[in-house]
Amino acid sequence: MRILSVETSCDDTAVALVEASKNNFSVIDSLISSQIKVHAPFGGVVPNLAAREHLRNLPMMLKKFFRRNKISSENIDLVAVTQGPGLIPALLVGTNAAKAISCAWKKPLVGVHHIAGHIYANFVGEKPKNMEIAFPVLALVVSGGHTELILMKKHLNYKIVGETLDDAAGEAFDKVARILGLGYPGGPAVSANAEKFPIFPPTGDHPQGGKIQNPKFSLPRPMINSNNLDFSFSGLKTAVLYTVRDNPKILKNRKLIARLCFEFQQAVVDVLVHKTIRAAKKYKPGSILLGGGVSANKELRKQLGEEIKNLLSNTKYKIPAAGYSLDNAAMIAVAGYYQFKLAKNKKKFNDNWKNLEAEADLGLR
Ligand code: KG4
Ligand code: ZN
């Protein structure tokens, strides 16, 4: 089955062509056009500018994509598109393009939840034997808009068991980068700076749990010991703001910026790892999956993997292949494939070009 997919929920315009056979998802082609340069001067994504860029880019990308992959109505079986959540003006561009293709070429159309896409990003390009994930699955999805622990008893069955009460982890990275003058998007900039900080053995345990590297810039680990699986990152961002306010020389000193980035990143990783392990002890998943833009963070990937190995040796751990942590359309194709394959009534997808509506706050179901 060949799936054509489109993703325009935020500031990346993405299209992909994925071949699904016996649960093996090979990406025939994937295109992503980033709008970073457009939004960088504003320090964040401007929804109407994002929509304008999608509108400018998507038709040209599709034309190029169709030509170079010789795509026609004859060799596509399914169209998948991100239906939500996301910025409504941005989502409308992708959903309308997908609806037009589905209508003109008489192909079934599946609307995909963006977070489901991030979970299924773990299977992009996988070999069939690696696809055999053990349920229940516990997924930690960390992106610019979401920080969620999701329990899946089977495919497409989602229960949110923990989530952020305020900022998402990626949002906190972006805001801290702004405070430190590191530009947008913040995650890659903060983690690149954190890497510059020479790593000494931890000097001790943080009073709230986790490691402590540098007592001078010690930051809180919000909610790390709370008796639930929720998160909070806005206080951590404010703690960085106050640290800079009280030590303005930080902003003029690259080494101090690197130190603070290191401590901030470690604080986020400590909380994410701690809560994921806590959830795993409670729900005893067969597999733990990581997804979302923040899953590109090397320390998060590594430290979560180490803790799972140390504490939950029977639990499988999967992370997205390089290039599929951040927003992309291949992940939408894989999630769309499962929605189509497992649906009892497949005919309903034929009319979706009439019915599908973009939803900014689409719930995970
Ligand atoms: O999933 P994504 O591409 O878009 C949303 O769905 O939001 O995630 C983007 C987020 C941004 O907040 C970005 O700063 C963060 O992922 N991010 C990172 C890294 N790369 C991207 N955060 C931490 N470390 C990274 N290496
Ligand atoms: Zn995303």
Side-chain angles (χ1 to χ4, degrees):
M1 172 177 256
R2 278 164 52 110
I3 307 156
L4 175 71
S5 53
V6 178
E7 150 69 46
T8 63
S9 65
C10 191
D11 60 342
D12 290 300
T13 319
V15 293
L17 180 62
V18 171
E19 172 90 55
S21 59
K22 284 217 168 137
N23 295 349
N24 179 24
F25 300 100
S26 53
V27 181
I28 300 169
D29 200 0
S30 169
L31 265 181
I32 302 172
S33 168
S34 163
Q35 304 176 3
I36 286 175
K37 280 192 188 144
V38 176
H39 301 288
F42 302 93
V45 180
V46 183
N48 284 344
L49 275 184
R52 203 177 295 178
E53 286 300 303
H54 288 310
L55 210 46
R56 201 196 316 262
N57 294 333
L58 188 57
M60 285 194 294
M61 285 170 71
L62 285 171
K63 189 173 179 207
K64 179 172 161 188
F65 199 72
F66 285 2
R67 197 185 299 151
R68 80 180 187 193
N69 293 296
K70 300 188 175 51
I71 295 173
S72 70
S73 64
E74 311 294 303
N75 55 27
I76 290 293
D77 303 296
L78 181 68
V79 181
V81 66
T82 307
Q83 186 178 358
L87 308 169
I88 202 70
L91 287 164
L92 283 170
V93 179
T95 49
N96 278 321
K99 284 165 80 156
I101 296 167
S102 160
C103 170
W105 285 357
K106 299 188 175 52
K107 300 291 162 187
L109 172 66
V110 181
V112 175
H113 193 285
H114 184 75
I115 297 303
H118 276 307
I119 295 173
Y120 281 92
N122 279 282
F123 303 118
V124 174
E126 280 290 352
K127 306 241 169 13
K129 68 173 173 38
N130 294 337
M131 293 288 304
E132 288 155 19
I133 45 160
F135 285 99
V137 160
L138 178 70
L140 171 67
V141 180
V142 265
S143 70
H146 293 81
T147 298
E148 288 173 350
L149 277 164
I150 298 159
L151 187 68
M152 293 170 69
K153 290 202 175 132
K154 54 181 182 175
H155 278 298
L156 309 179
N157 176 294
Y158 309 103
K159 184 179 173 203
I160 298 172
V161 294
E163 61 191 328
T164 184
L165 304 179
D166 41 57
D167 290 356
E171 191 180 352
F173 268 97
D174 294 336
K175 287 177 177 169
V176 163
R178 203 190 299 188
I179 294 167
L180 298 176
L182 300 176
Y184 168 85
V190 170
S191 66
N193 268 278
E195 267 178 43
K196 289 185 205 157
F197 179 63
I199 310 213
F200 303 111
T203 50
D205 293 330
H206 191 279
Q208 286 176 278
K211 300 167 201 160
I212 188 160
Q213 218 80 30
N214 189 306
K216 198 170 166 201
F217 287 161
S218 173
L219 293 171
R221 269 59 175 163
M223 293 184 73
I224 197 164
N225 292 319
S226 68
N227 198 17
N228 57 30
L229 300 172
D230 291 332
F231 305 91
S232 163
F233 292 107
S234 95
L236 181 56
K237 163 206 69 190
T238 309
V240 172
L241 186 69
Y242 289 169
T243 305
V244 172
R245 185 195 61 189
D246 297 342
N247 307 274
K249 64 176 193 288
I250 291 174
L251 294 180
K252 295 198 180 81
N253 184 321
R254 282 195 200 158
K255 281 189 186 159
L256 294 181
I257 287 182
R259 265 185 183 195
L260 195 51
C261 285
F262 183 95
E263 171 65 8
F264 167 76
Q265 176 175 270
Q266 191 56 48
V268 175
V269 170
D270 277 344
V271 178
L272 292 174
V273 170
H274 192 92
K275 286 282 167 108
T276 306
I277 299 292
R278 187 187 180 109
K281 285 185 175 160
K282 180 168 179 191
Y283 294 106
K284 306 195 172 25
S287 329
I288 296 179
L289 268 50
L290 185 60
V294 183
S295 75
N297 188 281
K298 283 188 211 151
E299 284 304 313
L300 175 60
R301 286 174 166 239
K302 189 175 108 201
Q303 294 185 34
L304 182 57
E306 285 167 355
E307 284 298 272
I308 292 170
K309 204 168 156 200
N310 290 341
L311 302 171
L312 311 159
S313 54
N314 293 327
T315 311
K316 277 189 175 185
Y317 174 52
K318 277 183 76 61
I319 50 179
Y324 296 104
S325 283
L326 295 161
D327 288 351
N328 65 88
M331 67 184 197
I332 301 301
V334 179
Y337 167 81
Y338 278 103
Q339 278 175 239
F340 186 74
K341 189 183 143 198
L342 300 180
K344 286 199 183 93
N345 170 16
K346 292 194 174 40
K347 283 199 180 134
K348 68 177 181 194
F349 297 112
N350 294 341
D351 282 341
N352 251 357
W353 63 269
K354 289 182 214 156
N355 305 328
L356 189 137
E357 279 182 27
E359 279 185 49
D361 300 317
L362 186 68
L364 190 57
R365 52 180 149 72

